[in-house]
Amino acid sequence: MVTLRIDWKTSASGSWNRGTFGTLPEGWRPPMDLNFSYGGRDGANQKTINVNTNGTMTYANQGGTQATVAFGMTVSYAL
């Protein structure tokens, strides 16, 4: 089981922009590409958090108004 605490410093502002925030070392990578929903506390920052089999971790804004503020969440998955 892997649990990641994501605390990212800033966010892309465009409705559908995306960003990368790291690469996991081998042994922490999931067996399939995963995505998690993130909803900001103000209701205006909706994202998909992606954790991929190659170790990349990305986010994608899901339309609407997007702030450039930090975001954080915890995700867990089985290896």
Side-chain angles (χ1 to χ4, degrees):
M1 186 70 142
V2 172
T3 298
L4 302 173
R5 174 65 195 158
I6 299 166
D7 287 307
W8 195 239
K9 59 189 172 191
T10 187
S11 181
S13 62
S15 293
W16 299 102
N17 286 349
R18 49 185 73 235
T20 300
F21 56 90
T23 303
L24 292 170
E26 288 187 40
W28 287 58
R29 298 175 181 181
M32 67 184 84
D33 290 340
L34 303 173
N35 64 55
F36 303 90
S37 294
Y38 170 82
R41 64 183 171 170
D42 59 5
N45 289 307
Q46 309 302 313
K47 302 180 184 327
T48 300
I49 306 299
N50 305 293
V51 181
N52 302 301
T53 58
N54 66 2
T56 59
M57 295 184 295
T58 64
Y59 67 89
N61 293 341
Q62 299 298 296
T65 303
Q66 300 290 329
T68 59
V69 298
F71 64 91
M73 66 183 291
T74 301
V75 300
S76 296
Y77 55 90
L79 291 180

